[in-house]
Amino acid sequence: MQVEIIDPTVQPVPADWELFRKQEGLIAAWQADALTAVAWCSTRPVRLGIVRDGGQVAALFSGEVTGLPPRRGRYAEPGALPLTGWFNCRMLIGFTSGFVFAAELPEPDRVAVLAAFEKALRRRLGRHCLGILYRQVTADMLPLVARRSRPRITTAPNTLLRNRWPDMDAYFADLPRDRRRRLRKIHAEAAEGTRVLAGAGEIDPVQAAALAQATLRKHGSSDAPLPARYFHVLSGEEGVRYFGHLDEDRLLSFDLAFDDGRRLVTTVTGSLEVRDGGRRNLYFDLYLREIDYMIGHGREGCEFGKGMAELKQRFGCELIPQTAVPAAW
């Protein structure tokens, strides 16, 4: 097997990355230009991996090196690594693991791909890296990475709403009475006072970037904000779906979701504070717009991501366990 480790801030992502992504129907979060945009704004060095077997792409990897010092300085050289740390193997934007295989690749070959990637990454990062931390691993992928004596660390679960309704009326009817009345009211009032986005393929990238950054700061996150370029390169990309509310042309709230034809997967969100000209409960209505889309387009379910699990369960979501697995060199 041949493994290529890529620093997208100084190296072009190979053309067969995008060919593989489209052939395998991967969500647009794996788009090469989008990952490159994330790498350029990240406070941690990003590395991508592509594994080929007989010249054919067998798997893709994404992640970032975390360690000491914990973050890059503003003027750090592109690609510079911390003194020591771990490679966090995860999807850079989203709530899924940082590796995907060719659908037809059998399990023994998948294990061989992981071993080849680990070996190549160890050679590339050298003393700067203590090992790989596989993040956001689901039960079906756990046997591939949690072999031998590697520990398993339970992390915050993902949330999934499984589609079992013919329409929104049936969805609301399934909710407890008090919750049903409140969510119906929120859904109706949001449509009256705003221009609603419900599955749009593009959005104003500058407004989206600013709103996403403001939301991170509101919740005390120190993560680097996404640049406007991230939203720009996704514009018009197959499977990109925006849900949001606008006051004329001013963006008040939005969710970025990816539709792979089977599930809707939510990722980046942004919402104005009421005191900044926003409106109450638009965040809840985003969920309802996504549920409406899921039902109307016959998707199996909608992933609502990590965090606020109790709140999302009120909308009918179930918890999907996820695990972190450290693999020390």
Side-chain angles (χ1 to χ4, degrees):
M1 291 187 181
Q2 305 81 43
V3 183
E4 189 173 353
I5 307 296
I6 305 143
D7 175 356
T9 63
V10 295
Q11 298 171 271
V13 180
D16 53 355
W17 179 290
E18 275 299 289
L19 291 174
F20 177 84
R21 182 183 73 82
K22 292 178 180 179
Q23 288 169 359
E24 294 293 322
L26 303 182
I27 61 174
W30 283 96
Q31 191 215 64
D33 287 344
L35 291 171
T36 299
V38 174
W40 272 106
C41 75
S42 177
T43 56
R44 304 179 180 97
V46 168
R47 295 293 184 271
L48 307 178
I50 183 167
V51 181
R52 301 179 183 91
D53 187 8
Q56 299 297 314
V57 178
L60 303 179
F61 291 81
S62 77
E64 59 198 1
V65 183
T66 60
L68 298 172
R71 296 180 182 272
R72 286 193 309 196
R74 178 176 297 180
Y75 303 107
E77 179 183 353
L81 293 169
L83 295 177
T84 187
W86 288 78
F87 180 77
N88 272 342
C89 186
R90 67 179 186 90
M91 186 68 250
L92 297 178
I93 300 298
F95 308 97
T96 54
S97 60
F99 55 91
V100 286
F101 302 104
E104 300 302 319
L105 196 68
E107 183 169 331
D109 290 346
R110 295 185 179 204
V111 173
V113 163
L114 287 167
F117 175 73
E118 291 176 11
K119 183 177 180 180
L121 189 70
R122 182 167 66 246
R123 287 178 175 174
R124 175 69 179 267
L125 300 183
R127 62 182 176 82
H128 292 284
C129 192
L130 302 174
I132 296 180
L133 179 59
Y134 291 103
R135 301 281 301 277
Q136 299 167 177
V137 180
T138 50
D140 57 325
M141 291 295 186
L142 196 55
L144 298 176
V145 298
R147 54 190 187 275
R148 296 191 294 274
S149 59
R150 294 176 179 176
R152 305 180 183 193
I153 304 167
T154 301
T155 60
N158 199 352
T159 52
L160 170 66
L161 183 68
R162 297 187 191 274
N163 188 5
R164 55 185 182 274
W165 305 279
D167 52 39
M168 283 298 284
D169 285 339
Y171 167 75
F172 283 124
D174 253 2
L175 298 173
R177 180 179 298 178
D178 290 348
R179 197 178 309 158
R180 179 193 317 153
R181 293 175 58 186
R182 181 165 183 261
L183 291 181
R184 277 189 182 275
K185 183 179 180 182
I186 289 171
H187 199 43
E189 289 179 348
E192 289 176 358
T194 65
R195 180 158 63 92
V196 175
L197 297 177
E202 57 186 44
I203 201 170
D204 183 303
V206 174
Q207 290 195 58
L211 198 53
Q213 180 178 6
T215 303
L216 284 175
R217 297 295 177 261
K218 177 174 66 178
H219 293 289
S221 173
S222 58
D223 288 347
L226 286 170
R229 177 164 177 75
Y230 180 77
F231 301 97
H232 174 73
V233 299
L234 289 177
S235 292
E237 185 69 52
E238 184 176 358
V240 171
R241 298 290 179 264
Y242 286 103
F243 300 83
H245 305 89
L246 297 97
D247 179 4
E248 296 183 351
D249 291 327
R250 185 191 185 206
L251 191 63
L252 302 178
S253 72
F254 82 96
D255 264 0
L256 167 59
F258 298 108
D259 180 1
D260 66 0
R262 187 174 62 90
R263 284 184 181 177
L264 193 66
V265 181
T266 66
T267 55
V268 185
T269 191
S271 183
L272 280 177
E273 292 270 16
V274 174
R275 65 172 181 267
D276 296 328
R279 290 181 49 192
R280 295 187 186 279
N281 299 320
L282 292 184
Y283 187 74
F284 294 155
D285 188 56
L286 289 176
Y287 288 167
L288 297 173
R289 301 291 165 185
E290 289 155 354
I291 294 168
D292 194 3
Y293 179 97
M294 173 193 72
I295 294 172
H297 289 77
R299 301 301 182 248
E300 294 177 5
C302 180
E303 293 182 14
F304 283 101
K306 291 174 175 282
M308 299 185 295
E310 183 178 345
L311 183 149
K312 292 171 184 176
Q313 285 179 296
R314 296 175 191 169
F315 285 81
C317 290
E318 62 184 89
L319 304 184
I320 306 299
Q322 291 191 337
T323 303
V325 179
W329 301 144

